[in-house]
Amino acid sequence: MQLALEVGQTATPEAVMFWILGPLAVLAALGMLLVKKAVHSAILMAFVMVVLAVFYIAQDAVFLGIVQVVVYTGAVMMLFLFILMLVGVDSSDSLTETIRGLRPIAITAAIGFGGLMVSLLGRATLGRDAIGLSAANADGNVEGIGYLLFSRFVWPFEVISALLITAALGAMVLAHQPRSSKKTTQRQQSINRFRGESIATAAGLPAPGVYARHNAVDVPALLPDGTPAPNSVNASLKARGDMLDSNTFDLKKISTQVEEEK
Amino acid sequence: MDASNYLYISALLFTIGAVGVVVRRNAIVVFMCIELMLNAANLSFVTFSRINGNLDGQVMAFFTMVVAACEVVVGLAIIVAIYRSRRSASVDDASLLKR
């Protein structure tokens, strides 16, 4: 793939691609700041990364373009989304500013910094035309990068592999949480059941109610004396308020009179 | 079209990322903005690699990607650890040293 036909002045297809995708990438990055939900930010971020991958490939950095898609949009963004799901939505998603006057200062500083960078780039001249990568990529982009990685940059390459292992270990140490209480063994659970406060639970908790005309886990079972047993219903159903009252199935309230057929 | 147009996009993306780090409160969004800044720097590396006609810039961008991946792993682990102890992912809530 040779998109940069002429060095310096690039070919028209690349210009078209650039002027369509470039503004889209900037808009998506701006949207990242402005949308409220973190998940939407993550989706926009993934879009920006895909656009950058296309830019890399257009600039004869095929290997980096593929790595960008695999590592960033594939691994890193999925990790972000995974942690977002784990942490959930909370008040920090709101866009209200907590430090007064922070936003105007930030925007002013950003305009200043961005203007400085852009004007600097506009004024800088190289004194020669851009060379282009056709000579450096003569043996192929992957081969060229591989040759550099295992000759001139072999020491940084080794160091960075050590960094990766350290980071993986560090993440495990940071995310690890020791148990606050000792895990009860099955033997201990059995002893607790029989020698606990009451022997009533020795045979296990009663199952939820099963009626001839209604079979559901949200109805408490009836004890021999006719009272409902609330602990027969799952605790999470009770917390959600989904527990039915077994009185609604009281036979006395149901009309048992059959209309006589004539 | 000049190859340096990519540099302008890179500068814009970097600036937007910097604003995001300052303005947003959700720690995960702040992290994504840091990633955006790293990516903008990578785009500069690749463009300069093309302008200078050698692959050193691409190798640097490759190293940056690895460092960014490490940073994400450790950073997200820190966010999870903070969330466990404080029940919040807001960067404003982790202010124990201030009080």
Side-chain angles (χ1 to χ4, degrees), chain A residues 4 10 14 33 35 56 59 68 72 87 90 92-94 98 110 122 126 128 131-133 141 152 175 177, chain B residues 1 6 8 15 19-20 24-26 35 39 42 47 50-52 56 58 65 68 73 83-84 89-90 92:
Chain A
T10 51
E14 192 188 348
L33 303 188
V35 295
Y56 292 167
Q59 299 206 74
Q68 170 90 0
Y72 271 112
V87 168
D90 64 2
S92 67
D93 274 354
S94 79
T98 44
L126 202 58
R128 60 172 164 79
I131 297 173
L133 284 172
N141 184 241
R152 269 179 62 199
Q177 198 179 30
Chain B
M1 197 193 83
Y6 290 107
Y8 291 117
T15 314
V19 177
R24 291 301 298 254
R25 283 163 63 215
N26 190 331
E35 286 301 306
N39 270 291
N42 269 354
T47 309
R50 178 196 198 175
I51 290 174
N52 286 326
D56 287 6
Q58 291 188 18
M65 278 182 189
V73 166
Y83 180 76
R84 270 204 198 123
S90 168
D92 288 347

Side-chain angles (χ1 to χ4, degrees), chain A residues 142-225:
Chain A
V142 181
E143 283 83 352
I145 288 182
Y147 180 76
L148 274 180
L149 271 184
F150 290 105
S151 59
R152 269 179 62 199
F153 293 100
V154 68
W155 176 238
F157 190 66
E158 299 294 333
V159 169
I160 226 154
S161 70
L163 177 72
L164 260 179
I165 293 171
T166 317
L169 277 178
M172 273 190 258
V173 170
L174 279 172
H176 179 254
Q177 198 179 30
R179 290 189 77 92
S180 52
S181 59
K182 204 172 162 236
K183 190 179 179 186
T184 50
T185 57
Q186 222 165 14
R187 179 186 169 84
Q188 191 59 45
Q189 282 174 8
S190 176
I191 289 172
N192 286 346
R193 219 163 64 198
F194 286 95
R195 305 235 170 105
E197 290 168 10
S198 138
I199 203 160
T201 56
L205 290 172
V210 176
Y211 294 83
R213 53 184 283 266
H214 190 93
N215 180 357
V217 288
D218 55 351
V219 185
L222 292 184
L223 294 176
D225 57 350

